[in-house]
Amino acid sequence: MTRTRLLAALVMAPVAIAAILLLSTPWVIALTAVLFLIGLWEWFDLAEIEDTLSRTVLLVVHMALMVAIVWASRTSGLGATQAPSMVLFKIASLVGVVWWLLALLWLQRFNFASDHRTYARMFKLAAAALSVIPAWCAMAWIHAEGPIGLGGLPVGHWWLLTALAVVWAADSGAYFAGRKFGMLKLAPRVSPNKTVEGLVGGAIAGVAAGVGFAMLAGATTAQLPWVALVSLVAMLFSVVGDLFESLLKRHVGVKDSGHLIPGHGGILDRIDGVLAALPVFALGKAIFGF
């Protein structure tokens, strides 16, 4: 499994990095919308929405909301040098941070919305919207930053890569530290394989990746401590996102959200931490001005 997981990552990572760095923001917005909507479709499984028509309608509603945000963000008389307003993207990102703080309370109540009834589905569908839409908006907000940086690329491209690198490195660090040193269970009822040692390993790897990639993004020496702090908080939120998806999977008794990616499960299994980390990183970046 480890070999399959590694091979899949070696294929996906270069493609993702090339897309983030080389594509314009409208293309990144469109492609990540497709990716996030696939993850959302898998979320409907975890919410036990079995009717295909209902799932399709829900997916179209979320897609329409994404389109509406982009449309409403247009700048009047938009030209080649005029960027769209990011106000709605910023508001949605803030909503996402608030939601993930509330999700911490949900994690402490394992049985909440676990009885497979209508109201439970409603809570899980609301959680889906509050997870996917803000993360997508935060991604767009970060990537759209305009000044040219390393390699003649906009610095926003490098900052989005930095935010994702924090999650990717933390995930890998937690995986290997947990396998080698893991003894103390982090949340045994929600995710039996996660350990405190894995959390520490993930924090170290995530912060190191954040600081390293931030230098490529043009962060100054004075900004690096703030980058490290934001990377640490974003990494911790990514764990919340991971645990929350694990909670949903425990409620319905499945191991993975899907089987699209060999060794990794479904799309949602790969972006669960990203969904929680991106709004936090975007907000932290704005607060500390790097």
Side-chain angles (χ1 to χ4, degrees):
M1 181 61 72
T2 301
R3 182 180 179 183
T4 303
R5 185 185 181 99
L6 180 60
L7 289 174
L10 289 174
V11 172
M12 293 186 296
V15 174
I17 292 171
I20 292 165
L21 293 180
L22 302 179
L23 295 180
S24 64
T25 297
W27 273 105
V28 170
I29 287 176
L31 291 175
T32 53
V34 172
L35 186 69
F36 281 20
L37 288 171
I38 294 173
L40 188 65
W41 184 268
E42 295 175 351
W43 194 306
F44 295 157
D45 271 335
L46 303 184
E48 298 181 289
I49 307 299
E50 299 174 353
D51 180 65
T52 301
L53 178 59
S54 298
R55 291 165 60 137
T56 302
V57 170
L58 286 168
L59 194 73
V60 170
V61 168
H62 285 80
M63 183 172 62
L65 180 56
M66 290 175 167
V67 172
I69 291 173
V70 173
W71 183 84
S73 300
R74 295 175 306 157
T75 301
S76 179
L78 186 62
T81 61
Q82 292 177 290
S85 168
M86 301 305 293
V87 173
L88 292 178
F89 292 90
K90 294 175 182 180
I91 293 173
S93 300
L94 179 58
V95 169
V97 174
V98 173
W99 149 243
W100 286 110
L101 289 172
L102 294 175
L104 282 169
L105 300 177
W106 192 332
L107 286 173
Q108 295 174 24
R109 292 161 176 79
F110 181 88
N111 292 321
F112 179 75
S114 64
D115 60 3
H116 316 296
R117 294 177 184 170
T118 300
Y119 85 89
R121 294 190 183 99
M122 292 176 61
F123 275 114
K124 290 176 180 178
L125 289 176
L130 291 169
S131 300
V132 172
I133 301 297
W136 176 76
C137 287
M139 176 278 307
W141 177 16
I142 297 170
H143 194 267
E145 190 172 340
I148 300 301
L150 181 66
L153 300 171
V155 295
H157 297 201
W158 288 106
W159 279 116
L160 179 57
L161 181 59
T162 300
L164 294 174
V166 169
V167 181
W168 296 339
D171 185 56
S172 297
Y175 179 77
F176 289 107
R179 282 175 61 90
K180 188 171 182 62
F181 304 108
M183 294 181 63
L184 299 175
K185 300 297 183 182
L186 180 64
R189 194 174 186 188
V190 175
S191 184
N193 293 328
K194 286 183 174 55
T195 63
V196 174
E197 293 84 354
L199 178 66
V200 173
I204 294 171
V207 171
V211 171
F213 277 87
M215 289 189 285
L216 295 178
T220 65
T221 302
Q223 291 172 333
L224 291 181
W226 300 119
V227 172
L229 175 62
V230 172
S231 297
L232 176 60
V233 176
M235 174 270 162
L236 293 174
F237 269 75
S238 76
V239 174
V240 175
D242 196 336
L243 287 173
F244 189 78
E245 195 220 357
S246 295
L247 177 69
L248 298 182
K249 290 190 290 188
R250 293 292 175 271
H251 283 174
V252 295
V254 298
K255 181 178 181 296
D256 298 315
S257 65
H259 307 284
L260 191 60
I261 308 173
H264 292 263
I267 294 294
L268 188 59
D269 292 318
R270 288 299 86 213
I271 66 171
D272 50 6
V274 170
L275 295 179
L278 280 180
V280 173
F281 192 93
L283 185 61
K285 182 177 180 299
I287 291 173
F288 294 108
F290 54 79

